[in-house]
Amino acid sequence: MTNQPAAIGTSARRHDAAAKVTGGARYTTDVRLPGMLHAKVLRSPHAHARLRSIDATRARALAGVHAVLTREELAGLSPTYGYFVKDQPVVAMDKVRYVGDVVAAVAAEDEAVALRALELIDVVYEPLPDVPDVTAALAEDAPELFEEAPPGIVPPYGTGASGHLRPRRNVCYEFRYATGPADVWQECDHVFEDTFAFSRMNHFHLEPFVTVADVRGEQIEIWSSTQNPFPLRKELARVLRVDENRIRVHVPYVGGGFGAKHNCKTEPIAILLSRMAGRPVRYCLTTEEGFLTLSQHAAVLKVKTGVKADGTFVARESEVLLDAGAYSDGSPLVAEKAAYRMPGPYRWTHVKSSCACVMTTTTPAGPFRGFGATQSTWASESQVDMIARRLGMDPYELRIKNLKRLGEPFVPGESGIDSDLAEGLDTVAGELGYHRRARTPNRGMGLAIGFKDGGGVNKPAQARVKVTANGAVYVNSGTVEIGQGASTTLCQVAAEVLGVPLEQVAYAPINTDVTPFDQGTNASSGMTVMGRAVLRAAEAVRAQVLEFAARQLGCEATALTLENWAVRRGDEAPIPLPGLIMKVFGGTGYEFSGEGFFKAPNSPEAPLDAPCVFWEIGWAGAEVEVDPDTGKVTVLQLVASGDVGKAINKLVCRGQDEGAAVMGLGQALFEEMRYDGSALLNGEALDYRVPMAEDLPERFVSVTQEQGHGPGPFGAKGAGEGAMVPVAAAIANAVHDATGVRVTALPLSPERVFNALHRH
Amino acid sequence: MTNQPAAIGTSARRHDAAAKVTGGARYTTDVRLPGMLHAKVLRSPHAHARLRSIDATRARALAGVHAVLTREELAGLSPTYGYFVKDQPVVAMDKVRYVGDVVAAVAAEDEAVALRALELIDVVYEPLPDVPDVTAALAEDAPELFEEAPPGIVPPYGTGASGHLRPRRNVCYEFRYATGPADVWQECDHVFEDTFAFSRMNHFHLEPFVTVADVRGEQIEIWSSTQNPFPLRKELARVLRVDENRIRVHVPYVGGGFGAKHNCKTEPIAILLSRMAGRPVRYCLTTEEGFLTLSQHAAVLKVKTGVKADGTFVARESEVLLDAGAYSDGSPLVAEKAAYRMPGPYRWTHVKSSCACVMTTTTPAGPFRGFGATQSTWASESQVDMIARRLGMDPYELRIKNLKRLGEPFVPGESGIDSDLAEGLDTVAGELGYHRRARTPNRGMGLAIGFKDGGGVNKPAQARVKVTANGAVYVNSGTVEIGQGASTTLCQVAAEVLGVPLEQVAYAPINTDVTPFDQGTNASSGMTVMGRAVLRAAEAVRAQVLEFAARQLGCEATALTLENWAVRRGDEAPIPLPGLIMKVFGGTGYEFSGEGFFKAPNSPEAPLDAPCVFWEIGWAGAEVEVDPDTGKVTVLQLVASGDVGKAINKLVCRGQDEGAAVMGLGQALFEEMRYDGSALLNGEALDYRVPMAEDLPERFVSVTQEQGHGPGPFGAKGAGEGAMVPVAAAIANAVHDATGVRVTALPLSPERVFNALHRH
């Protein structure tokens, strides 16, 4: 690794760049198998109804129809699934619970025939009262979505002493956490109580939910657009009651997921239809159906904060209600995170948090980029600004005063903060010109710090690196290339360790039969968890190669260096490895292969079972102009920044931060799944407003901080979520700065801002 | 492994059985990709000609044509390939060298368009004199097929002191070997010199040569019907001048190969056309084109044997000429084996062998089931019978007198014989009723012993076994399921070691990106080489699991046994592993993964660089009736037997032996690629006569011997070639016994036998 240019810290071209810009990249949507059928599903028109009867006789008789799946065909299976609570049926069993709930599925020669067949399925519903929101759901006489406890309820991970399931009406899970003495409330000079509303976004991944399934005899083979192939395999094996190794999961490129593509989505239906039809089945949702499949959690967040007269933070208690929608999906874990992260990056004497997942007759909610931290940061960072203004302090100063120091633990038993929070805030404030700003009517600036534990909890990762006799390197890992660039950056880690050019390292496609086990592509864990497994695998191979060469050369491995697939002893000329290897192994060679494993240690002291892998911190600063006549917020400047510890690939980090910031911008200004009762009003691409190129701020800056304290390879931290989390609060804080008016609900639409201005 | 029923030694149902009998098994021929084009090639009508010019302008202009490949498009590549001698061009460069040599290739919307385009390619040839057989090729004034030494000539494996390249006219390689004092010829009471002719078979694999290639950007992805994915990847990388990891080789089920499907066949053309067209390309040969692609080696074998008056063998010298056809392919290695195996399983004081690969203007010859041993056994075992009759001895007695003992080395530095040869011969003779036979006119019996070193030379194999938290086991190996049953038997080895039912073990599909490296599916090496790698991988996993469990239970790993995915301490109740694993790894678990490597040791003393892995011995006994009026040979009884050491799967072994014996029957009686000069006369399925069900002998017995001396897992040896090798000689010996007439050329067609009878 002496003369070889570094493989990390560059802006190396992504491995997937050429294929993606030329249209050659293959996604699950592109998979075509001979004889492949197409699936469509019948969805409930009712928000809540008992399923009296279902008769698919006419559909089955339609020419071109090869299989119809209704609840009858689920006999003998474990027909419900869920990340923690197994409450979502493959197709409706006794009831439907939201408009769009899946009632039946058809596989036919083409989608048109399948759609026609759906019209021939006769369903008799008995409508029941709906439960459109958390208030309705928690009412004493609210209708119950689940009359019996869903099957297979399991607590989330580990012993989770602080979290627990509560048999409350329409609550699938509740999490509580407290630390420090509650009597410090008496020492507070001021106590502020505020309530915030958080809107529900759609994930809006450009590649829809899609699975191609091919069941042949006992072998189930799927290509699926999923973030978590191994957990998916396990859940499918449970549902289908087969051994895991009868299910082969291939994951081609994935066109975005943002948390949505975990656990069962299109997979069970595609598999069951293929098994029934004896032909491959493609089941691809439309964008509209995506809105009916999973969303972010809307939330109501009550925050009570006690401070000293000088602004010192003392105590914070919070209660969060997440709208989990009709099925629990990943809600319990999101609830834990939303509550746990509510203290934010500040020093408190006492903290108490709770969060309940409330079931409503709306689209199920689940994991979403930010994973609860978006909700908690929205409330926390809005309130920090409100408190500063109430105390007559500058919000920047109030933050600086209370921020934790580098290395200070978050709560007892937790990892210490691994970013210099003040340095990050100064970077963003400086870039924004926060301290030099002139007061201009209707213009204002705001700051915010997004705060989440990153890298997942209790998340093991296994990786393999193998190298041919000629020095061609493969990285085998279950981390999905979902657009984040992991298929390049993980190769950079291996290239650096092995001293070969990045071009010589390839990232293998994922197939659960042969790819090393991984928990999934989520929680910004690609570099801090899988990256460490890849690092260890590459180091294992490096050690093997050096030991092999040392044996051949009759020296110690420590006397050798590895560079460009040659070994070198001191200043001697490099000895190419291919010749050495072929001499020993003959024929067509050999491959060195090393495995690496990483898992953050468990800890009984840590509130969530294990200290977090790293802290994913995002800072945002915004300057806005508010039109008082229309309420329209124009973002003049947006500065977003994440601390990536060490950028393995600068361009990839920038791409992650910019993408995250724009998603935050959408959350701040435009995006919201709007309901009329239980009926979704804007569940299609034309009506649902995502940010477009023209919505970008006039000045849009992303700053990749490399503070160097990360636990990943070469000091790296994770990226991808941090820069999204604080954006909405920074913009709301800027609107407050511009207008003196606080908007406590998202998005900051002209209508909402106008109303706030004129209530004022 | 105590209460669990044994996974080995059974006749367990094959993993591929259900898929294959229901038509669900996917072969390369079944692969379809969206937008896939179809390739056809233009073949030379001349046996030998200079390529004056080639003009594809009109073909390129044809509607539906997407790419045309001629020698011009090979610029910048290393355009010739070959297993040892790189003499075969992807498409013809300066010359064509046999009728059927590939001149150009077209990719078009469908095969019909491609065929039409071929007619529009204008080629000007300058015909040259042909070289139809070895006699013509070795004539002093013979035309030279290669005017310059082919590029990239490399000696075969290792230092190969005894083998060497010789710049003889039209000889691509020559091998010589000698041991023991040559002056023992003086001590011989009789010296017999005989010459034998061996006919050329077609491999006749039911799945044709076929590749689907998909080149996207820098990534080359192929699905190919190949026996040796990793060596293929290496050779393609050399030809295409790319890193090996830019070529991803998938191997679905392979529908037979018998040696033909090694190295480049359809792959380079499919890849280059796909790269040019920017679309996937399927290049699938017809059966007729298979006859123009590769064949077995026809051979002329001179054998000179010196014996004592009492029948004691003393010395044997032999000269073999293999007809290598137009390109060298695997000929050098086949030549080494043909010569090296010529002594057969007998004790000699002096041995001297040579074999030359002679280039002719016919279909290239290459590896074929038996790999040179079929040729050498045909000559050797025919002559042993002839000598017995000349000495007035029973051929059985002459063999018994001279057979090597168990453990006796073959030649100095070589492995000892690992079968009791006499026991095997007795088994077959007994089953045939050889010693009880009554003399009946025109009926006779013959015996023969096939003899080859098995398991390949210098052949490393790597394997991986991984196990999910729930105990679902995967075997990852590069051994191709080519019909031999390896995907089942290798799983049986893992199941036995891990103490789980065979149904719980899956064999993963092959993809060179993630599958452990392997030298190839050949040389009956599946169980003795890869089986040992799988055994070690499974043992590594077993050790990991026991150590993991011991840590959790606070005991020594040696105190635990593993059974049905539970551990047990002494007589205590078994503790299921899934719970133990989930407790530690949480989330969705973990996979234990172990790697195993095996390579027979090199040895400077061994004539072929390394002692052989095992001896693949086949015994055959035949009873025939010869019709003196027509020369038709009817096989009344055929007894074929291989010693498999220990049958991992009895039914699989029987299938291998029966298949091999029937292929031997075809060689003995029917099969021969017949040439008129350089023109193949019977190169299609209707004219080329393979054995059919009705050709099976009235009594057809295969005896799987399990002598227990194998080096493989649980004492296994390899299988699949042994029972083919001796069949032709056994039948010729029986014909001799029946008629008193010796036929020294194959096949024993009615015409040939009739002529022999009437010359007599």
Side-chain angles (χ1 to χ4, degrees), chain A residues 24 26 214 216 244 519 588, chain B residues 24 26 214 216 468 519 588:
Chain A
R26 189 180 292 132
D214 187 16
R216 296 179 171 234
E244 289 155 320
Q519 195 92 275
T588 43
Chain B
R26 190 180 290 131
D214 187 17
R216 297 179 168 233
T468 72
Q519 195 93 274
T588 42

Side-chain angles (χ1 to χ4, degrees), chain B residues 327-386:
Chain B
Y327 297 106
S328 61
D329 198 83
S331 291
L333 192 46
V334 176
E336 296 198 346
K337 295 298 189 178
Y340 188 60
R341 292 159 175 173
M342 189 58 95
Y346 304 107
R347 196 174 301 111
W348 304 99
T349 309
H350 167 68
V351 159
K352 187 172 160 191
S353 306
S354 77
C355 182
C357 307
V358 183
M359 312 306 287
T360 63
T361 50
T362 62
T363 293
F368 191 104
R369 195 177 202 169
F371 210 92
T374 331
Q375 287 89 338
S376 60
T377 294
W378 163 244
S380 170
E381 286 297 281
S382 291
Q383 202 200 30
V384 167
D385 252 53
M386 292 159 79

Side-chain angles (χ1 to χ4, degrees), chain A residues 172-504:
Chain A
C172 76
Y173 183 75
E174 194 163 349
F175 175 83
R176 291 181 182 278
Y177 175 73
T179 185
D183 55 12
V184 291
W185 284 111
Q186 299 158 14
E187 301 164 19
C188 297
D189 298 312
H190 306 278
V191 173
F192 302 105
E193 285 197 58
D194 299 289
T195 299
F196 301 88
F198 187 86
S199 60
R200 179 199 303 241
M201 276 173 79
N202 179 253
H203 296 78
F204 215 84
H205 35 80
L206 284 181
E207 187 193 31
F209 293 106
V210 53
T211 300
V212 176
D214 187 16
V215 181
R216 296 179 171 234
E218 291 154 0
Q219 182 68 52
I220 297 164
E221 188 156 16
I222 63 171
W223 289 256
S224 206
S225 186
T226 182
Q227 300 180 227
N228 303 347
F230 288 91
L232 174 65
R233 177 190 65 174
K234 183 175 184 177
E235 181 76 335
L236 289 171
R238 195 190 57 76
V239 168
L240 300 167
R241 297 188 182 166
V242 299
D243 280 330
E244 289 155 320
N245 57 8
R246 297 296 159 214
I247 304 173
R248 182 179 302 145
V249 183
H250 298 275
V251 189
Y253 283 128
V254 173
F258 310 113
K261 291 177 176 172
H262 75 104
N263 208 278
C264 299
K265 292 287 175 290
T266 40
E267 296 85 0
I269 284 176
I271 291 170
L272 290 172
L273 287 174
S274 174
R275 184 189 266 176
M276 291 161 69
R279 300 226 329 231
V281 170
R282 178 178 192 262
Y283 176 31
C284 182
L285 300 193
T286 62
T287 301
E288 291 67 34
E289 287 179 296
F291 281 91
L292 300 176
T293 302
L294 202 71
S295 73
Q296 196 185 27
H297 289 87
V300 178
L301 308 103
K302 275 195 223 173
V303 191
K304 179 179 154 194
T305 300
V307 302
K308 297 272 194 192
D310 68 350
T312 303
F313 288 176
V314 178
R316 173 173 273 183
E317 293 189 359
S318 61
E319 284 179 40
V320 180
L321 297 177
L322 292 182
D323 185 340
Y327 297 105
S328 61
D329 198 82
S331 291
L333 192 47
V334 176
E336 296 197 347
K337 295 298 190 179
Y340 188 61
R341 292 159 175 173
M342 189 57 96
Y346 305 107
R347 197 175 301 109
W348 304 98
T349 309
H350 168 66
V351 159
K352 187 171 160 192
S353 306
S354 76
C355 182
C357 306
V358 184
M359 312 305 288
T360 64
T361 50
T362 62
T363 293
F368 191 104
R369 196 176 201 170
F371 209 92
T374 331
Q375 287 90 338
S376 60
T377 294
W378 163 243
S380 169
E381 287 295 281
S382 291
Q383 203 200 29
V384 166
D385 251 55
M386 291 158 79
I387 291 170
R389 287 170 203 282
R390 286 161 180 159
L391 297 176
M393 290 180 71
D394 184 283
Y396 165 85
E397 298 297 341
L398 183 64
R399 286 187 172 85
I400 291 290
K401 185 180 187 73
N402 289 288
L403 280 175
K404 283 185 187 286
R405 304 269 172 274
L406 180 66
E408 197 174 335
F410 171 57
V411 296
E414 225 341 328
S415 302
I417 303 299
D418 53 6
S419 285
D420 185 323
L421 299 162
E423 180 186 322
L425 190 63
D426 283 343
T427 299
V428 169
E431 187 65 46
L432 188 68
Y434 183 86
H435 299 299
R436 296 175 278 103
R437 75 189 188 280
R439 299 286 350 169
T440 309
N442 300 316
R443 287 198 179 190
M445 286 187 180
L447 299 169
I449 307 178
F451 181 77
K452 70 182 283 282
D453 47 308
V457 174
N458 227 332
K459 190 170 190 301
Q462 299 175 258
R464 187 184 315 118
V465 170
K466 63 173 204 169
V467 191
T468 72
N470 288 331
V473 180
Y474 293 93
V475 173
N476 295 170
S477 114
T479 295
V480 171
E481 177 54 73
I482 194 166
Q484 86 282 46
S487 65
T488 304
T489 54
L490 293 174
C491 287
Q492 288 181 271
V493 170
E496 183 75 13
V497 173
L498 293 169
V500 298
L502 177 59
E503 297 66 38
Q504 217 165 303

Side-chain angles (χ1 to χ4, degrees), chain A residues 9 22 57 62 112 186 240 256 284 362 440 445 541 576 602 605 634 713 736:
Chain A
T22 59
T57 313
L62 185 67
Q186 299 158 14
L240 300 167
C284 182
T362 62
T440 309
M445 286 187 180
V541 167
N602 290 48
E605 292 78 42
T634 302
H736 194 171

Side-chain angles (χ1 to χ4, degrees), chain A residues 137 153 252 327 538 567 599:
Chain A
I153 288 188
Y327 297 105
V567 288
K599 181 178 176 296

Side-chain angles (χ1 to χ4, degrees), chain B residues 128-323:
Chain B
L128 299 167
D130 69 343
V131 187
D133 56 37
V134 297
T135 312
L138 296 177
E140 265 200 22
D141 57 347
E144 279 204 289
L145 261 69
F146 292 88
E147 284 141 41
E148 294 170 27
I153 289 187
V154 290
Y157 51 85
T159 51
S162 11
H164 55 275
L165 288 159
R166 240 175 86 145
R168 240 209 298 176
R169 179 177 294 252
N170 290 329
V171 169
C172 75
Y173 183 76
E174 193 162 349
F175 175 82
R176 292 181 183 278
Y177 175 74
T179 185
D183 55 12
V184 291
W185 283 111
Q186 299 159 12
E187 300 165 20
C188 296
D189 297 312
H190 306 277
V191 173
F192 303 105
E193 284 195 60
D194 298 288
T195 299
F196 302 87
F198 187 86
S199 59
R200 179 199 303 241
M201 275 172 81
N202 179 253
H203 296 78
F204 216 83
H205 35 79
L206 284 182
E207 187 193 31
F209 293 106
V210 53
T211 300
V212 177
D214 187 17
V215 181
R216 297 179 168 233
E218 292 155 0
Q219 182 67 53
I220 298 163
E221 188 156 15
I222 64 170
W223 288 255
S224 205
S225 186
T226 182
Q227 301 180 227
N228 302 348
F230 289 90
L232 173 65
R233 177 190 65 175
K234 182 175 184 177
E235 180 77 336
L236 289 170
R238 194 190 56 76
V239 168
L240 300 166
R241 297 189 183 165
V242 299
D243 280 330
E244 289 154 321
N245 56 9
R246 297 294 160 216
I247 304 172
R248 182 178 301 145
V249 183
H250 298 275
V251 189
Y253 283 128
V254 174
F258 310 113
K261 292 177 176 173
H262 75 105
N263 209 277
C264 299
K265 294 288 175 289
T266 40
E267 295 85 0
I269 285 176
I271 290 170
L272 290 171
L273 288 173
S274 174
R275 185 189 265 175
M276 292 162 70
R279 302 232 322 235
V281 171
R282 178 176 192 263
Y283 177 30
C284 181
L285 300 193
T286 61
T287 300
E288 291 67 34
E289 287 179 296
F291 280 92
L292 299 176
T293 302
L294 203 71
S295 73
Q296 197 186 26
H297 290 87
V300 178
L301 309 103
K302 276 195 219 171
V303 191
K304 177 178 156 194
T305 300
V307 302
K308 298 272 195 192
D310 68 351
T312 303
F313 289 177
V314 178
R316 172 173 275 184
E317 293 190 359
S318 60
E319 283 179 40
V320 180
L321 298 177
L322 292 183
D323 185 340

Side-chain angles (χ1 to χ4, degrees), chain B residues 360-449:
Chain B
T360 63
T361 50
T362 62
T363 293
F368 191 104
R369 195 177 202 169
F371 210 92
T374 331
Q375 287 89 338
S376 60
T377 294
W378 163 244
S380 170
E381 286 297 281
S382 291
Q383 202 200 30
V384 167
D385 252 53
M386 292 159 79
I387 291 171
R389 287 171 204 281
R390 286 161 183 159
L391 298 177
M393 290 180 72
D394 184 282
Y396 165 86
E397 297 297 342
L398 184 63
R399 287 188 171 86
I400 290 291
K401 184 179 188 74
N402 289 289
L403 280 176
K404 282 186 186 286
R405 302 270 172 274
L406 180 66
E408 197 173 335
F410 172 57
V411 295
E414 218 353 318
S415 302
I417 303 298
D418 54 4
S419 285
D420 185 322
L421 299 162
E423 180 186 322
L425 190 63
D426 283 342
T427 299
V428 169
E431 186 64 46
L432 188 69
Y434 182 86
H435 299 298
R436 295 175 278 106
R437 73 189 190 279
R439 298 286 351 169
T440 309
N442 300 318
R443 286 197 179 192
M445 286 188 182
L447 300 169
I449 307 178

